Amino acid sequence: MNPLLAAVALPVAVSRAYVYSVPESLRTRVVPGSRVVVPLGKRTLIGIVTAIDVPAPVKGRLRDILDAPDAGRTLTPELLTLGRWMARYYAAPPGIVLRAMLPVALTGAAAPVAPVKRHRVACVVRTIESLLERDAMFKRAPRQRVLYELLESLGGSHPVRALLEQADVTAAVLHALVTRELVAIESTVVARDPFSTRGIRAAVTHVPTDAQRHAIAKLIALEPGAGALLRGVTGSGKTLVYIEYLRDVIERRGQGAIVLVPEIALTPQTVDRFRTAFGDQVAVLHSALSDGERYDEWSAIHRGDKRIVVGARSAIFAPVKLLGAIVVDEEHEATYKQGESPRYHARDLARVRAGIEGATFVLGSASPSLESWTQALRGDLALLELPERAGGAQLPAVHVIDRRKEVIVRRQVSNTPGAPPAQGSSFAHAITPQLEHAITERLDKGEQSILLLNRRGYAHFMQCADCGAVSQCPNCAIALTYHRMPERLACHYCGHREAPPSRCSNCSGPPLRERGLGTQQLERLLGERWPAARIARMDMDTTGAKWAHATILDKVGAGEVDILLGTQMIAKGLDFPNVTLVGVIDADVGINLPDFRASERCFQLLSQVAGRAGRGAKGGEVFIQTREPTHHAVTCAVTHDFLRFAAEELSGRISPAYPPSLFIANAVISGTEEIATADAARALAEWTRRLIDTRMPGAVEVVGAAPCPVERIKQRWRWHFLVKSRETDALGRIGRYVVEHGPLPSGAELRLAWDRDPVTLL
């Protein structure tokens, strides 16, 4: 009998599958989509069978599959088809593509992780409200204060080991806080139920508006494989439309659904709403889950026990039975793009997977991406609109504060004889008098405010006042950000951390000065100005613990927070009727980055955060502080005018041409040696030009090579060139050929990253 051969995709950077012989004992278990354990050189790897009964390889020794740990398919035929499309479109190795579809527990071992684990958790047991009392208590114990305030910022409880590591202190500091009865240490069992502390909220009945009913009916009438763009102003009730549409999918058709959200911060609120409507049929998938929780949720979906999946971008691979619909909420968000190979965009995969499985897909946003908007204008997507807020609420009034004039006024006041001393300069640079008055007014009324500053840390960088030197990351071509809790200089690209220097390393001058404003500093300034206000901060530093996002947002919803400040994660999807004020501390962050999408991202962020205000009967106001008040991203956000912004921005994407006028890929060459990396990038760009001239002249254009805007990350120098085409197939063919055959010298550890449809060029 001839041996049965199987093609196996392995998680290695190779563009082909490997062929193995199937032992007689495993023939019933080895099928397309099943996991197998195979040898590769001296290693043993987990792979996915992509085909059986394949031809024998022309050369090389044929080896046996060692094991097939599962009784059936791990990946469905539809997901295998999606994987093949991804490998071709993104020029990514098929084994790495298929590995991305599975939970970690299934990719590195044949058995899942242990079911439960025990943690020692530190908990705040006494809250110190007064800053004066806090200063007195910790006057001689600054490390205790750092640890105490870090624990507060993490929601009041955190695993001991992770807490000490993040604060960079010893256990003795923690025990000192325990002795002072400020903190307690508890032993807890962490179950693998991601909802163990959440429960199901009481059902709330909503009556759809006429516009919502029209949108729901249109979605229900979509043909299999078709899609729609739901453009609804902030607060128009897009989530209600999703839920009522999915009632038809789940209850009448008996199918399943996937709901994607762009940020983990949005997942708890979205999960709560869908669990209220659909009970324990809802599963959640995102990167904040433990490996065990993710495996258990994935298994319940795979068995068909749960029919609705809510999650971030990787939830697009959920093995939902009888998939009937995919919803991509806030579809314009860049977080749907994967930063590592395979560099997929979940929004685009929603369209492809819906076509493969005969499902429908819905893209929702108040400020759609220009790609989706163009598709809707062409008729490729059904365009549905919710032009008004639900419940009769009005869009908030938006006021622009010109920071240039504020600087002039402050100078005039400070130079006026007999003028009272100005408030602390740091506060004056952060909060203008208009915004300060508005915050005070909300505090007096018992209403809530949201303040956006899209820059974490305490200060943007530290600089010597004598020679002007700035503390730089030793691994990346960027300045280090100063953090105060715990005190350190940190790189947000590579994770490097170091203690702030006592003197300038360049000229031995005095200690460096803090420059720029971050969320930590803003939190302190607000606390000093309004000591009685209850302030919560949401950024990457305060949301590391499980359900930390939910804990903070639950407090806001319960009225236990007066001012919520944070980075862009607070700008999307949050719905709190008592929030009547939104302040944008610095609208200029990111507006002039060397990236063709910079203006689009700025407009979307301003539009989204403005939409957090005035969702209840009390109405709301928005204050945008900027030094570029005439920029079209700002002026259009002020009037909530997406149509004018889209028209103006699209006209600027024609010459020079950028998406959605055409398709692009960003080829990034990185290496450990600066000159070798530059030479290799120039040579590869020229080789690609010659290839195009030979194979498809005029169909594809190469722009560059040039240094990346951030020239060095993680000790690797970076150059890039753009490849543009109006033909998506031509761009795909060139990309695969460049990735597989492009000449890169072996020196300087050179690597090529082919980023199809990039969301940023930085």
Side-chain angles (χ1 to χ4, degrees):
M1 179 184 294
N2 292 328
L4 179 65
L5 305 182
V8 180
L10 296 176
V12 294
V14 176
S15 59
R16 61 177 177 85
Y18 291 81
V19 177
Y20 290 88
S21 177
V22 183
E24 186 69 28
S25 60
L26 297 178
R27 288 199 173 194
T28 60
R29 300 170 72 90
V30 175
V31 295
S34 62
R35 285 192 310 150
V36 291
V37 182
V38 298
L40 182 67
K42 296 181 179 180
R43 295 181 292 168
T44 300
L45 299 177
I46 297 282
I48 299 293
V49 177
T50 58
I52 59 172
D53 201 14
V54 298
V58 175
K59 57 183 179 179
R61 182 165 62 96
L62 196 61
R63 305 177 75 178
D64 284 351
I65 292 175
L66 302 177
D67 191 17
D70 305 320
R73 288 187 174 93
T74 307
L75 292 177
T76 64
E78 292 80 10
L79 285 173
L80 285 178
T81 301
L82 179 64
R84 283 190 287 270
W85 182 90
M86 289 175 61
R88 287 182 55 80
Y89 188 83
Y90 295 107
I96 292 177
V97 168
L98 297 181
R99 181 181 62 181
M101 295 183 172
L102 295 173
V104 171
L106 293 177
T107 61
V113 294
V116 294
K117 51 187 175 181
R118 187 172 292 275
H119 273 317
R120 293 175 69 239
V121 177
C123 307
V124 172
V125 293
R126 180 187 165 195
T127 302
I128 309 170
E129 299 288 355
S130 167
L131 282 174
L132 295 178
E133 181 186 357
R134 188 169 296 202
D135 290 340
M137 287 191 68
F138 294 113
K139 183 176 182 180
R140 297 180 180 275
R143 287 185 174 274
Q144 291 181 31
R145 180 169 189 163
V146 166
L147 186 62
Y148 179 84
E149 292 182 344
L150 175 61
L151 185 56
E152 276 188 321
S153 72
L154 293 171
S157 66
H158 204 64
V160 169
R161 181 180 296 180
L163 178 67
L164 295 178
E165 182 180 338
Q166 192 166 344
D168 196 21
V169 299
T170 65
V173 179
L174 176 59
H175 289 306
L177 292 175
V178 173
T179 302
R180 301 177 74 174
E181 298 184 346
L182 297 173
V183 172
I185 297 177
E186 301 173 354
S187 180
T188 63
V189 172
V190 180
R192 299 212 316 201
D193 177 11
F195 302 115
S196 57
T197 60
R198 299 291 294 168
I200 298 179
R201 307 298 174 88
V204 178
T205 302
H206 295 282
V207 178
T209 64
D210 289 343
Q212 288 172 331
R213 279 196 295 270
H214 176 75
I216 294 165
K218 289 289 188 182
L219 293 178
I220 292 174
L222 286 176
E223 295 292 328
L229 173 63
L230 178 63
R231 186 176 79 90
V233 298
T234 54
S236 59
K238 292 186 289 295
T239 302
L240 175 61
V241 172
Y242 303 150
I243 289 174
E244 294 305 316
Y245 165 55
L246 294 185
R247 284 191 198 278
D248 183 81
V249 173
I250 304 298
E251 297 173 3
R252 187 178 68 83
R253 303 184 200 173
Q255 297 175 313
I258 297 172
V259 180
L260 300 183
V261 294
E263 295 271 7
I264 294 173
L266 299 185
T267 310
Q269 277 199 332
T270 308
V271 168
D272 285 346
R273 292 174 180 177
F274 278 86
R275 292 191 83 208
T276 296
F278 300 104
D280 59 6
Q281 295 186 83
V282 178
V284 60
L285 290 175
H286 57 66
S287 60
L289 300 181
S290 69
D291 290 346
E293 288 171 339
R294 193 175 182 88
Y295 170 77
D296 285 349
E297 288 291 277
W298 182 92
S299 298
I301 301 162
H302 190 261
R303 292 191 304 267
D305 296 344
K306 297 190 177 184
R307 301 162 68 190
I308 300 179
V309 179
V310 177
R313 62 175 175 261
S314 62
I316 190 61
F317 304 123
V320 176
K321 302 289 186 183
L322 298 175
L323 183 63
I326 304 174
V327 173
V328 185
D329 193 27
E330 309 293 3
E331 62 84 26
H332 62 276
E333 287 292 340
T335 49
Y336 284 125
K337 176 73 171 178
Q338 170 74 7
E340 301 293 334
S341 183
R343 292 174 172 81
Y344 65 87
H345 199 301
R347 179 191 64 217
D348 298 333
L349 293 193
R351 172 183 57 81
V352 177
R353 186 172 180 187
I356 292 170
E357 304 211 25
T360 54
F361 66 100
V362 184
L363 312 179
S365 176
S367 50
S369 64
L370 296 183
E371 286 84 353
S372 296
W373 181 244
T374 302
Q375 291 172 22
L377 294 180
R378 287 200 304 255
D380 296 338
L381 295 172
L383 179 59
L384 310 175
E385 303 201 64
L386 301 176
E388 297 178 351
R389 285 189 156 182
Q394 299 297 311
L395 288 168
V398 182
H399 312 283
V400 175
I401 302 172
D402 188 345
R403 295 306 303 264
R404 299 170 303 180
K405 295 180 180 178
E406 289 296 326
V407 172
I408 295 172
V409 169
R410 281 201 301 273
R411 287 173 178 166
Q412 290 174 342
V413 170
S414 63
N415 293 332
T416 301
Q423 198 171 342
S425 60
S426 295
F427 183 90
H429 280 89
I431 306 291
T432 57
Q434 300 97 310
L435 182 54
E436 179 186 8
H437 174 75
I439 295 172
T440 301
E441 188 176 51
R442 267 58 182 193
L443 291 171
D444 292 342
K445 292 181 179 180
E447 297 171 359
Q448 295 170 297
S449 304
I450 288 179
L451 301 179
L452 170 72
L453 176 60
N454 202 21
R455 183 176 285 149
R456 54 188 275 233
Y458 192 86
H460 193 206
F461 58 91
M462 298 190 77
Q463 185 176 38
C464 176
D466 287 355
C467 71
V470 174
S471 291
Q472 296 282 332
C473 175
N475 306 318
C476 310
I478 61 168
L480 291 169
T481 300
Y482 174 59
H483 290 250
R484 183 167 282 189
M485 292 190 308
E487 188 173 36
R488 66 186 187 274
L489 292 173
C491 175
H492 295 166
Y493 278 87
C494 72
H496 170 81
R497 296 187 298 179
E498 62 183 54
S502 58
R503 306 191 70 81
C504 176
S505 60
N506 184 56
C507 70
S508 300
L512 307 187
R513 293 184 179 179
E514 302 156 6
R515 304 293 192 191
L517 182 70
T519 50
Q520 285 185 353
Q521 185 176 174
L522 178 62
E523 181 183 28
R524 183 173 184 85
L525 294 174
L526 295 172
E528 292 173 348
R529 172 61 182 85
W530 293 285
R534 298 166 298 176
I535 301 169
R537 171 166 59 92
M538 275 187 72
D539 55 27
M540 291 290 290
D541 299 317
T542 63
T543 54
K546 179 185 174 184
W547 291 116
H549 307 84
T551 301
I552 296 172
L553 297 178
D554 284 348
K555 288 182 178 180
V556 177
E560 299 172 8
V561 171
D562 300 312
I563 302 173
L564 173 65
L565 69 99
T567 55
Q568 62 181 355
M569 64 174 62
I570 67 170
K572 312 150 193 172
L574 307 183
D575 188 356
F576 300 115
N578 198 40
V579 171
T580 60
L581 173 68
V582 165
V584 180
I585 304 303
D586 187 356
D588 306 329
V589 174
I591 200 170
N592 288 315
L593 291 175
D595 193 311
F596 72 94
R597 297 188 198 272
S599 296
E600 183 180 2
R601 280 196 294 267
C602 177
F603 170 79
Q604 289 165 343
L605 184 60
L606 294 179
S607 299
Q608 291 293 324
V609 74
R612 302 314 108 204
R615 288 176 167 251
K618 299 176 183 178
E621 285 185 297
V622 179
F623 289 82
I624 298 176
Q625 300 181 160
T626 177
R627 291 176 178 81
E628 296 195 47
T630 60
H631 193 286
H632 69 284
V634 176
T635 59
C636 292
V638 168
T639 56
H640 309 283
D641 195 344
F642 169 78
L643 296 180
R644 181 164 71 88
F645 173 80
E648 187 165 344
E649 189 70 13
L650 284 171
S651 67
R653 304 274 183 95
I654 297 174
S655 181
Y658 282 104
S661 297
L662 43 61
F663 304 97
I664 67 170
N666 188 24
V668 180
I669 298 88
S670 65
T672 56
E673 299 175 13
E674 182 178 8
I675 295 176
T677 302
D679 291 343
R682 294 189 188 100
L684 184 59
E686 186 57 35
W687 180 86
T688 305
R689 286 190 183 91
R690 292 196 301 269
L691 173 68
I692 292 167
D693 290 342
T694 302
R695 302 287 182 90
M696 48 183 71
V700 184
E701 176 189 6
V702 175
V703 180
C708 291
V710 182
E711 290 185 77
R712 190 168 177 250
I713 294 178
K714 298 181 181 179
Q715 296 187 340
R716 298 188 64 83
W717 296 93
R718 305 166 70 242
W719 276 59
H720 69 153
F721 59 89
L722 297 182
V723 184
K724 300 182 176 183
S725 179
R726 300 188 185 277
E727 304 174 21
T728 181
D729 291 341
L731 189 59
R733 291 196 301 274
I734 287 294
R736 291 189 295 274
Y737 199 87
V738 170
V739 168
E740 294 177 21
H741 304 289
L744 279 181
S746 57
E749 296 184 18
L750 293 165
R751 300 174 193 162
L752 167 64
W754 181 266
D755 188 5
R756 180 79 183 265
D757 304 327
V759 297
T760 178
L761 300 181
L762 298 181

